[in-house]
């Protein structure tokens, strides 16, 4: 039977059906030519989010809402070679037909249903888009007809560019990978604009049989390669100039299956924050991120025998506050260490890492300079009695030494003297931490009773790095996504320099003979911290224009005596710096920290007292000093007195055969007690001649200072009790004082040696407590004793 006869029989058989279809077709053409859609064809399609590092490397790609890896790519961003390859393979006449290629359909129909041969495709790109968008079953005649009509409607509603762009973005490429951009990234590790001709041809044939593709299937891979080779032959016929590409084409093609999943904590935070942004260009540097991850993981492996299993690290460029590397935990997938908790955002006790800001505020308020002598002696503040980590006291200690050694008592004492702002007000003003009311913490905030995240601590330290300016961290390079607060000047440049200068005196905790930072002449200013109960240990450093923070601990809150900031966190921090420093810093001839602000000067001070030196100070040193801000008190420890060398008494007489001038150190009684306890001899000044005028005595030296009862404390009695028993009375006195006299409301209650404690019982009421030393110098304090209400 001839071809013409077969065709006539088929047309007669389906005559009524074809008339209905044709009429409907003309009706829909008319309707949609009037109401052409102006919307986007791909609005209903969900896409993956993709996060890049600062250099364009992919950090992570998420699943779309329907659990596909599908990356939206505008048509003009697609590799031109890939577009030509797709058209050559799928639809050579795409730009010339109305959505359906009648010749291709007829050829497929004839071959399949008349000749009874193997099914061949006749679908255009538009028809494939219709099938994919509307989930059509096209293996039957009715399904194919629906596909044809949907394709024609798409052509009437949308432009060719819209349809082609949709195909490129939703074409199946194996498994749950859809779209050539996702396929390019997953199979070749490349952006779609960067793939070669070889890879373009390979991708263009994947939609032919995507369900059978698997990168590890050698059989199917061989079949794909054969198909690609046939396509290349067609390509050479279409583009004769491409014959020069044969050598490159014959190179083996590397097919992988790699879903990028770097910096999971960091990228998860970005995804949650910018859930509607399809492409996020982050500030992270993938190479440095891998370095931090590798170094931290290796360090933890070495320390596992000490019970160390988890860590977090954060590297920030302080110049622009870009987060360069961020490791939220040692292992994101390890449930035993709660690895999916983000250690850079979780709030923990900061230990002593706030102390630099106590000293900074004290410098701002004119309380200290780096060489100011502070007291490291037992002290109480209301019900709070701070202790040192080593459970000892050093006595007099220079401010810079107290900060470097992280002594608790001097820091808390300084914090008690701060005002407008104190440390709580300072933190609250810049909105650091989720602080409760001030009374909840008291002075214990100095030692870590308030919790802060690593990101918040790094922002704090950026104030020092940026000469007093506070700024938010920046996580993305997308200008439309950056929402930072305006820079806020909270400390002076001079104070920031002095604090950094102190912190760089911290010793290198590693055993490297000549650290690379020394070779590059880059100093490292850092502070460590250990939380109460050894639950967290910290190390935070400033070097060049970078800030690096390291935390080790357990998210479950269990303590470990090994969690010590100086001995556990600092070595890891220095290992990281040693590794990354050559990558991110340029060696300088002179360290930038060697250049103090011009407003900082040097001044001679007494090495003993830390106060401005006078002629009686035998040992003098220089210190950095901020004119108009640093304290100007002259030395009160070194004093010149007149002594009668015959009687041994101190005297006011300046002339006489046996009268000599001598210089003594006048240490207050609390420090003298520490010297005696430590076995350190101190030569105390001789007593005055009993015949000296008391009025003259009261005008010399320092007055006593009541240290107990505590200033501003109200003492409460339980109901039914009539007196407050055994209230300790204690005062610090000058070195030449032997006895003190105590008074209540100007009524004498007793005398005692200057280094002893007087006890007294008080009934409810308000009282004036007074103390007078044996030189007639005095101090007073109001005491309130109340009754607890029922």
């Amino acid at each position: 039977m001839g071809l013409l006869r077969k065709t006539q029989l088929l047309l007669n058989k389906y005559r009524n059906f074809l008339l209905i279809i044709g009429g409907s077709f003309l009706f829909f053409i008319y309707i949609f030519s009037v109401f052409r859609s102006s919307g986007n064809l791909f609005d209903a399609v969900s896409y993956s989010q993709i996060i890049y590092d600062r250099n364009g490397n992919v950090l992570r790609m998420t699943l779309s809402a329907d659990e596909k890896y599908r990356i939206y790519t505008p048509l003009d961003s697609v590799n031109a070679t890939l577009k030509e390859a797709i058209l050559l393979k799928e639809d050579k006449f795409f730009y010339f037909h109305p959505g359906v290629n009648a010749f291709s359909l007829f050829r497929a129909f004839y071959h399949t249903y008349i000749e009874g041969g193997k099914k061949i495709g006749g679908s255009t790109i538009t028809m494939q888009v219709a099938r994919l968008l509307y989930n059509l079953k096209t293996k039957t005649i009715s399904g194919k007809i629906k596909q044809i009509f949907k394709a024609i409607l798409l052509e009437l509603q949308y432009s060719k560019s819209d349809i082609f762009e949709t195909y490129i973005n939703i074409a199946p490429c194996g498994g749950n990978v859809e779209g050539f951009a996702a396929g390019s990234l997953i199979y070749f590790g490349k952006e779609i604009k960067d793939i070669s001709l070889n890879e373009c041809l390979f991708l263009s044939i994947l939609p032919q049989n995507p369900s059978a593709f698997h990168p590890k299937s050698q059989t199917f891979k061989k079949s794909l390669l054969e198909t690609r080779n046939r396509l290349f032959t067609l390509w050479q016929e279409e583009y004769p100039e491409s014959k020069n590409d044969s050598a490159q084409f014959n190179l083996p093609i590397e097919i992988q299956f790699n879903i990028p999943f770097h910096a999971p904590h960091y990228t998860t935070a970005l995804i949650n924050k910018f859930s509607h942004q399809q492409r996020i260009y982050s500030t992270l540097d993938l190479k440095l991120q891998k370095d931090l991850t590798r170094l931290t993981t290796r360090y933890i492996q070495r320390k596992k025998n000490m019970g160390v299993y988890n860590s977090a690290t954060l590297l920030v460029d302080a110049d622009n506050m870009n987060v360069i590397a961020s490791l939220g935990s040692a292992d994101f997938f390890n449930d035993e260490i709660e690895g999916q908790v983000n250690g850079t955002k979780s709030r923990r006790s900061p230990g002593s890492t706030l102390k630099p800001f106590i000293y900074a505020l004290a410098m701002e308020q004119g309380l200290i300079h780096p060489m100011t002598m502070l007291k490291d002696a037992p002290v109480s503040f209301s019900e709070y009695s701070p202790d040192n980590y080593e459970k000892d006291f050093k006595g007099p200690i220079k401010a810079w030494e107290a900060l470097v050694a992280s002594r608790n008592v001097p820091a808390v004492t300084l914090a008690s003297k701060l005002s407008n702002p104190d440390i709580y007000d300072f933190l609250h003003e810049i909105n650091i931490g989720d602080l409760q009311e001030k009374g909840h913490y008291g002075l214990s905030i100095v030692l870590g009773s308030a919790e802060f995240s690593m990101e918040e601590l790094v922002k704090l330290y950026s104030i020092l790095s940026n000469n007093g300016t506070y700024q938010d961290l920046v996580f993305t390079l997308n200008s439309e996504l950056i929402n930072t607060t305006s820079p806020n000047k909270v400390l002076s440049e001079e104070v920031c320099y002095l604090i950094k200068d102190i912190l760089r005196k911290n010793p290198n905790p590693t055993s490297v003979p000549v650290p690379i930072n020394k070779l590059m002449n880059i100093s490292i200013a850092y502070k460590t911290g250990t939380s109460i109960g050894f639950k967290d240990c910290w190390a935070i450093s400033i070097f060049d224009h970078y800030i690096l923070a390291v935390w080790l601990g357990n998210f479950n809150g269990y303590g470990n005596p090994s969690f010590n900031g100086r001995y556990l966190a600092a070595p890891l921090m220095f290992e990281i710096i040693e590794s990354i420093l050559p990558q991110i810093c340029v060696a300088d001839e002179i360290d930038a920290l060697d250049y103090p602000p011009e407003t900082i000067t040097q001044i001679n001070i007494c090495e003993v007292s830390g106060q401005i030196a006078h002629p009686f100070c035998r040992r003098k040193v220089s210190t950095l000093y901020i004119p108009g801000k640093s304290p100007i008190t002259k030395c009160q420890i070194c004093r010149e007195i007149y002594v009668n060398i015959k009687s041994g008494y101190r005297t006011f007489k300046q002339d006489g055969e046996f009268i000599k001038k001598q210089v003594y150190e006048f240490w207050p009684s609390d420090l003298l007690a520490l010297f005696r306890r430590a076995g350190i001899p101190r030569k105390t000044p001789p007593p005055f001649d009993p015949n000296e005028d008391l009025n003259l005595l009261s005008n010399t030296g320092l007055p006593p200072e009541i240290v107990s009862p505590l200033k501003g404390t109200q003492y409460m009695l339980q109901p039914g009790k009539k007196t407050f028993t055994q209230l300790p009375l204690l005062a610090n006195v000058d070195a030449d004082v032997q006895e003190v006299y105590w008074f209540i409301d100007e009524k004498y209650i007793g005398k005692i040696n200057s280094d002893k404690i007087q006890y007294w019982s008080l009934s409810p009421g308000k009282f004036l407590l007074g103390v007078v030393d044996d030189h007639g110098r005095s101090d007073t304090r109001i005491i309130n004793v109340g009754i607890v209400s029922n």
Side-chain angles (χ1 to χ4, degrees):
M1 184 182 297
L3 175 60
L4 181 61
R5 180 59 179 163
K6 288 183 178 180
T7 304
Q8 288 177 338
L9 291 175
L10 284 171
L11 289 175
N12 289 332
K13 182 177 181 181
Y14 296 105
R15 178 173 176 276
N16 293 333
F17 177 76
L18 291 174
L19 286 173
I20 295 172
I21 294 299
S24 301
F25 172 68
L26 292 174
F27 174 76
F28 280 114
I29 286 179
Y30 171 75
I31 294 296
F32 283 98
S33 64
V34 176
F35 302 103
R36 184 178 176 86
S37 174
S38 60
N40 289 324
L41 177 58
F42 37 83
D43 280 345
V45 180
S46 62
Y47 290 94
S48 302
Q49 281 184 282
I50 185 165
I51 300 97
Y52 299 90
D53 84 336
R54 65 190 307 108
N55 300 311
N57 300 305
V58 177
L59 295 174
R60 184 172 173 184
M61 182 167 56
T62 68
L63 287 167
S64 63
D66 54 347
E67 298 192 348
K68 306 288 187 183
Y69 288 109
R70 187 190 296 122
I71 302 172
Y72 170 70
T73 307
L75 186 63
D76 55 7
S77 298
V78 179
N79 188 316
T81 302
L82 177 61
K83 289 189 279 189
E84 295 295 337
I86 293 170
L87 293 174
L88 181 63
K89 174 67 179 69
E90 295 292 340
D91 195 349
K92 189 175 181 179
F93 301 101
F94 171 72
Y95 285 102
F96 304 100
H97 60 65
V100 178
N101 188 327
F103 176 77
S104 296
L105 278 177
F106 181 79
R107 182 188 61 183
F109 180 81
Y110 180 80
H111 180 79
T112 303
Y113 295 103
I114 296 178
E115 292 188 341
K118 182 181 178 181
K119 288 185 179 180
I120 62 173
S123 298
T124 61
I125 286 177
T126 310
M127 291 173 66
Q128 294 184 58
V129 168
R131 175 177 60 83
L132 294 169
L133 284 179
Y134 304 116
N135 197 26
L136 301 176
K137 309 298 182 184
T138 60
K139 292 186 177 181
T140 63
I141 293 179
S142 60
K144 182 61 71 173
I145 292 173
K146 288 181 182 178
Q147 183 185 23
I148 291 171
F149 277 107
K150 289 287 187 181
I152 294 172
L153 294 180
L154 288 176
E155 290 278 351
L156 291 172
Q157 288 182 283
Y158 300 98
S159 68
K160 287 287 187 179
S161 294
D162 285 343
I163 295 170
F164 196 20
E165 180 176 279
T166 302
Y167 177 76
I168 286 174
N169 281 287
I170 68 172
C173 292
N176 64 341
V177 180
E178 290 192 358
F180 297 109
S184 173
L185 185 65
I186 292 172
Y187 299 139
F188 305 127
K190 297 180 181 180
E191 290 288 325
I192 194 171
K193 60 183 176 58
D194 299 325
I195 56 178
S196 65
L197 170 62
N198 199 355
E199 293 159 340
C200 286
L201 295 177
F202 183 88
L203 283 179
S204 67
I205 61 176
L206 282 180
Q208 185 180 54
N209 191 7
S211 61
F213 174 66
H214 192 282
K216 294 183 180 180
S217 171
Q218 296 301 319
T219 302
F220 189 69
K221 189 183 295 185
K222 181 180 178 181
S223 174
L224 275 177
L225 293 176
E226 290 174 353
T227 306
R228 184 206 59 178
N229 293 341
R230 290 194 297 270
L231 182 59
F232 183 61
T233 301
L234 294 176
W235 180 272
Q236 289 179 311
E237 293 175 359
E238 188 73 20
Y239 304 99
E241 67 276 10
S242 66
K243 292 182 179 180
N244 297 327
D245 298 329
S246 297
Q248 179 186 355
F249 181 79
N250 290 327
L251 293 175
I253 187 169
E254 295 293 333
I255 304 173
Q256 58 183 8
F257 190 86
N258 180 31
I259 309 295
F261 196 76
H262 304 292
H265 298 91
Y266 175 88
T267 54
T268 298
L270 284 181
I271 290 165
N272 291 337
K273 187 173 182 178
F274 307 117
S275 57
H276 300 296
Q277 186 75 19
Q278 290 182 353
R279 276 184 167 82
I280 301 173
Y281 297 91
S282 78
T283 59
L284 216 68
D285 185 301
L286 180 56
K287 186 178 186 307
L288 289 173
Q289 177 71 23
K290 289 181 176 179
D291 287 343
L292 256 69
T293 303
R294 172 179 54 82
L295 292 165
T296 303
T297 303
R298 189 172 65 186
Y299 185 83
I300 288 176
Q301 288 293 330
R302 298 202 313 266
K303 301 295 181 180
K304 273 190 174 180
N305 62 324
M306 300 169 61
V308 179
Y309 302 103
N310 209 352
S311 178
T313 55
L314 184 64
L315 177 66
V316 170
D317 184 340
D319 279 356
N320 49 32
M321 297 303 288
N322 283 188
V323 175
I324 305 300
S326 176
L327 181 66
S329 72
D331 185 352
F332 184 80
F333 297 103
N334 188 341
D335 291 336
E336 292 183 1
I337 64 169
E338 301 178 68
Q340 295 191 24
V341 174
N342 190 344
T344 67
K345 292 186 176 294
S346 301
R347 290 193 170 104
R348 317 283 299 175
S349 167
S352 296
T353 56
L354 295 184
K355 285 179 182 173
F357 301 94
I358 303 291
Y359 286 77
L361 291 174
M363 289 182 182
E364 289 284 4
Q365 296 175 22
L367 300 177
I368 62 169
H369 54 65
M371 293 290 284
T372 296
M373 195 65 67
L374 304 177
K375 289 183 182 180
D376 186 11
V379 65
S380 293
F381 302 91
S382 187
E383 297 180 356
Y384 181 55
S385 299
D387 201 354
N388 287 312
Y389 178 81
E390 294 85 357
K391 306 297 182 184
D392 64 351
F393 299 95
K394 300 291 186 183
I397 185 171
K398 297 179 180 67
W400 76 264
E401 291 177 325
L403 179 53
V404 167
S406 198
R407 306 298 292 180
N408 291 342
V409 173
V412 175
T413 304
L414 276 180
S416 71
K417 298 177 181 179
L418 298 176
S419 62
N420 301 319
D422 59 19
I423 186 61
Y424 176 92
D425 298 331
F426 176 76
L427 298 170
H428 189 268
E429 179 185 345
I430 57 179
N431 197 28
I432 288 287
D434 185 18
L435 294 174
Q436 301 186 42
E437 62 180 21
K438 184 186 295 189
H440 178 78
Y441 306 106
L443 289 172
S444 67
I445 193 173
V446 177
L447 306 181
S449 61
E451 295 185 339
F452 301 91
S453 71
M454 179 178 284
E455 289 182 358
E456 290 167 337
L457 291 176
V458 166
K459 287 193 287 185
L460 263 182
Y461 277 74
S462 75
I463 296 173
L464 301 177
S465 182
N466 290 324
N467 299 322
T469 301
Y470 172 78
Q471 299 179 76
D472 277 335
L473 294 176
V474 177
F475 297 89
T476 173
L477 300 177
N478 298 58
S479 57
E480 72 275 14
L481 302 181
I482 298 176
N483 183 26
T484 57
T485 57
S486 299
N488 183 16
K489 189 77 170 178
V490 294
L491 291 175
S492 68
E493 180 182 0
E494 296 85 357
V495 166
C496 290
Y497 176 85
L498 293 180
I499 295 298
K500 288 184 288 188
D501 188 55
I502 292 173
L503 294 180
R504 69 173 177 166
K505 291 180 172 67
N506 261 314
N508 188 324
T510 64
S511 57
V512 179
V514 184
I516 194 167
N517 68 290
K518 294 294 184 184
L519 295 174
M520 297 180 66
N521 203 29
I522 295 174
S523 61
I524 300 172
Y526 79 95
K527 184 70 183 74
T528 60
T530 304
S531 67
I532 298 172
F534 303 98
K535 298 177 182 179
D536 311 272
C537 63
W538 299 84
I540 307 176
S541 61
I542 300 170
F543 59 99
D544 198 65
H545 57 93
Y546 293 92
I547 303 170
L548 174 64
V550 168
W551 168 87
L552 291 103
N554 293 316
F555 291 140
N556 58 20
Y558 286 107
N560 182 340
S562 299
F563 292 160
N564 178 290
R566 186 172 294 274
Y567 303 112
L568 187 65
L572 172 58
M573 181 183 69
F574 270 79
E575 283 189 22
I576 293 173
I577 293 174
E578 284 280 312
S579 177
I580 68 174
L581 202 57
Q583 303 178 50
I584 62 177
C585 297
V586 178
D588 294 318
E589 292 183 5
I590 300 178
D591 188 346
L593 280 179
D594 283 334
Y595 287 109
E598 293 181 357
T599 47
I600 289 182
T601 62
Q602 288 202 347
I603 191 171
N604 286 331
I605 60 156
C606 174
E607 186 179 21
V608 174
S609 67
Q611 296 167 324
I612 294 178
H614 53 57
F616 309 137
C617 300
R618 296 170 180 172
R619 291 174 290 168
K620 300 175 183 178
V621 294
S622 64
T623 185
L624 296 175
Y625 187 85
I626 308 174
K629 186 170 288 186
S630 297
I632 57 174
T633 306
K634 288 190 175 182
C635 178
Q636 296 175 328
I637 299 295
C638 301
R639 304 180 204 168
E640 185 182 65
I641 63 173
Y642 291 90
V643 178
N644 186 322
I645 59 173
K646 184 177 180 179
S647 67
Y649 283 120
R650 182 179 171 190
T651 181
F652 288 110
K653 297 177 181 178
Q654 300 181 10
D655 299 318
E657 181 182 358
F658 301 106
I659 305 300
K660 300 293 182 183
K661 290 192 294 186
Q662 296 181 0
V663 175
Y664 280 84
E665 294 179 3
F666 282 68
W667 293 100
S669 57
D670 55 347
L671 292 181
L672 280 175
L674 276 179
F675 290 142
R676 285 195 293 270
R677 191 182 308 167
I680 301 173
R682 279 289 182 271
K683 186 180 179 181
T684 57
F688 274 101
D689 189 321
N691 297 319
E692 290 287 351
D693 185 352
L694 185 60
N695 289 327
L696 294 176
L697 292 176
S698 63
N699 292 327
T700 64
L702 299 176
E705 179 188 5
I706 297 174
V707 294
S708 177
L710 304 167
K711 190 174 184 178
T713 300
Q714 183 173 15
Y715 295 87
M716 305 299 294
L717 294 174
Q718 293 296 327
K721 286 194 174 184
K722 297 182 179 180
T723 59
F724 192 104
T725 59
Q726 300 297 301
L727 178 67
L729 309 179
L730 179 65
N732 284 334
V733 296
D734 210 354
D736 56 357
V737 173
Q738 305 298 318
E739 294 179 325
V740 294
Y741 305 85
W742 290 95
F743 298 84
I744 294 289
D745 289 338
E746 300 185 356
K747 179 182 178 181
Y748 174 72
I749 61 174
K751 73 173 182 177
I752 196 167
N753 288 342
S754 60
D755 59 346
K756 302 296 182 182
I757 298 176
Q758 174 84 42
Y759 292 95
W760 193 249
S761 299
L762 294 177
S763 56
K766 185 177 182 180
F767 305 91
L768 177 65
L769 173 69
V771 63
V772 179
D773 65 21
D774 53 15
H775 288 23
R777 299 166 299 209
S778 63
D779 188 23
T780 59
R781 179 159 298 175
I782 299 293
I783 305 174
N784 287 293
V785 180
I787 299 176
V788 178
S789 59
N790 291 323

